[in-house]
Amino acid sequence: MRYRTLGRTGIKVSPYGLGALMFATSVGNSDPDDSARIIHKALDAGINLIDTADAYGDSEEVVGKALKGRRDNVVLATKVSRPMGDDPNQQGASRRWIMTAVENSLRRLQTDHIDLYQIHRPDPATDIEETLSALSDLIHSGKVRAIGTSNMPASDIVKAQWVAERRGLQRFRTEQPPYSLLSRGIEREVLPVAEHYGMGTLVWGPLGQGLLTGRVRKGRQNELRRAGLFKHLNDERRLDAVERFVSLAGEAGLPLTHLAMAFTIVHPGVTSAIVGPRTMSHLDDLLAGIDVALTDDVLDRIDEIVPPGTDVGTLDQAYVPPALQQASLRRRPAGERTAA
């Protein structure tokens, strides 16, 4: 495994990271012992980055139990800010919640420190200085080694970097955005901004949330449990692009999954691509492609199918800023809409 430096933290991580959402017994693998075997095999193969979140059901507990005796060899990442109950204060990026949530995560993970603590989604209701101040205190206390964001727009990343510099606070060292053959929008601003500030980038959804596994084909029924839940798995434009990628993978002599994974780690701004296997066979397939290197000809063909910096459709899980969700934020009152 060729390790890469996570931004300017000095921490070395594998180009593939192990996402732990599918280890939550309620949404993924119902057998924690089997999940532990998957985690151990990934570690044995050289993957040293494990990414989870407090909002992933009992994922943190499954991971914590599996890492007994191997914690020191793992770069352990988790996240905070998604709702953890009906209480409106059990979510977001306020100091009040962060200080409580980190203790809960440490207990579930059975560790005394978190290597990378990430804000799962931006929290427009909380001043970024408040968030960075709390996270800085966690670093100074030794409970957290580095901090990062997930799904943060480029403009917010810049704002956070400026606030950290001006206030003498710890700054975000990583960003975790969606990225795949079908979702290349981050190439336009997020990746260049992250590179400019020396941030590492851990991308999620490299298999298009299931569309790039080869199990979802246009005009055919599929067995993905998520197919009836997420619109992006039934988007005709995305399905059309998948068919073209299936053909390209065949011409290149590669499984579609190997083409998809190899693409995500080619960009110089990407540090690691997070894979989320639910079964051992899923992991075996991904590990079989770790030596795949795409040629310029194949990459040029990919650019023809989905041009750089563009997305085909929108992921259901993608972050949507309040200004796009709330009509009142983009429309003047009815009496103020005329020019005269």
Side-chain angles (χ1 to χ4, degrees):
M1 191 73 67
R2 293 180 177 177
Y3 296 93
R4 299 174 173 182
T5 304
L6 186 60
R8 294 178 186 157
T9 65
I11 300 171
K12 306 295 184 182
V13 295
S14 48
Y16 287 3
L18 186 64
L21 172 61
M22 287 293 104
F23 300 146
T25 55
S26 59
V27 298
N29 193 323
S30 60
D31 183 357
D33 291 333
D34 190 44
S35 293
R37 287 188 287 271
I38 295 172
I39 291 172
H40 294 162
K41 183 163 187 176
L43 297 180
D44 292 341
I47 292 176
N48 74 337
L49 170 66
I50 297 181
D51 177 78
T52 184
D54 58 4
Y56 291 171
D58 60 353
S59 172
E60 286 185 324
E61 294 164 315
V62 172
V63 170
K65 182 179 178 181
L67 290 184
K68 285 185 177 180
R70 306 190 70 165
R71 171 66 183 92
D72 291 343
N73 301 117
V74 173
V75 178
L76 184 57
T78 192
K79 312 181 200 70
V80 61
S81 84
R82 299 300 295 271
M84 291 295 288
D86 295 330
D87 188 325
N89 286 314
Q90 292 184 336
Q91 61 182 294
S94 68
R95 169 179 286 272
R96 183 180 190 274
W97 176 236
I98 286 174
M99 291 305 185
T100 298
V102 73
E103 297 296 342
N104 293 336
S105 287
L106 288 169
R107 172 177 47 80
R108 288 189 291 261
L109 291 166
Q110 300 183 48
T111 185
D112 62 356
H113 72 280
I114 295 166
D115 295 301
L116 177 62
Y117 200 41
Q118 304 156 101
I119 301 301
H120 207 156
R121 290 289 189 276
D123 179 12
T126 302
D127 193 316
I128 191 62
E129 184 176 345
E130 172 86 358
T131 300
L132 288 172
S133 176
L135 294 173
S136 295
D137 286 347
L138 291 181
I139 290 177
H140 297 153
S141 71
K143 294 179 180 180
V144 169
R145 299 293 191 256
I147 56 176
T149 58
S150 177
N151 298 274
M152 183 170 275
S155 57
D156 287 355
I157 293 175
V158 174
K159 178 182 178 181
Q161 293 289 331
W162 272 99
V163 168
E165 181 175 335
R166 290 178 175 180
R167 299 302 186 192
L169 299 171
Q170 295 290 323
R171 63 190 184 90
F172 290 127
R173 299 291 185 170
T174 65
E175 160 61 11
Q176 187 176 142
Y179 187 53
S180 72
L181 290 168
L182 300 169
S183 301
R184 302 183 60 179
I186 65 169
E187 294 174 343
R188 187 174 296 275
E189 290 187 344
V190 172
L191 285 178
V193 166
E195 287 184 276
H196 174 76
Y197 286 107
M199 299 172 67
T201 304
L202 313 173
V203 299
W204 61 268
L207 296 180
Q209 298 291 276
L211 277 179
L212 298 170
T213 62
R215 298 167 60 193
V216 182
R217 301 292 299 277
K218 187 173 183 180
R220 304 182 192 179
Q221 289 189 338
N222 68 78
E223 299 177 355
L224 282 183
R225 291 182 291 179
R226 294 172 291 172
L229 302 175
F230 298 128
K231 295 179 181 178
H232 68 256
L233 293 175
N234 301 288
D235 186 321
E236 288 295 320
R237 295 169 299 168
R238 292 169 68 83
L239 291 171
D240 286 339
V242 168
E243 291 303 311
R244 297 180 67 183
F245 284 129
V246 168
S247 297
L248 176 58
E251 293 174 22
L254 297 171
L256 180 58
T257 52
H258 294 181
L259 176 75
M261 289 302 303
F263 166 78
T264 59
I265 63 172
V266 164
H267 195 290
V270 172
T271 309
S272 185
I274 298 173
V275 298
R278 181 174 57 84
T279 66
M280 190 69 78
S281 62
H282 292 165
L283 177 63
D284 287 340
D285 173 60
L286 295 171
L287 292 177
I290 61 175
D291 292 325
V292 172
L294 302 182
T295 65
D296 287 340
D297 288 341
V298 171
L299 292 171
D300 288 342
R301 292 281 301 280
I302 290 173
D303 289 348
E304 293 172 1
I305 298 172
V306 178
T310 63
D311 293 329
V312 182
T314 303
L315 291 172
D316 293 66
Q317 300 98 323
Y319 171 70
V320 181
L324 300 183
Q325 294 184 33
Q326 303 173 35
S328 62
L329 296 179
R330 60 178 185 273
R331 298 175 184 173
R332 291 180 180 273
E336 301 177 7
R337 296 176 184 176
T338 62

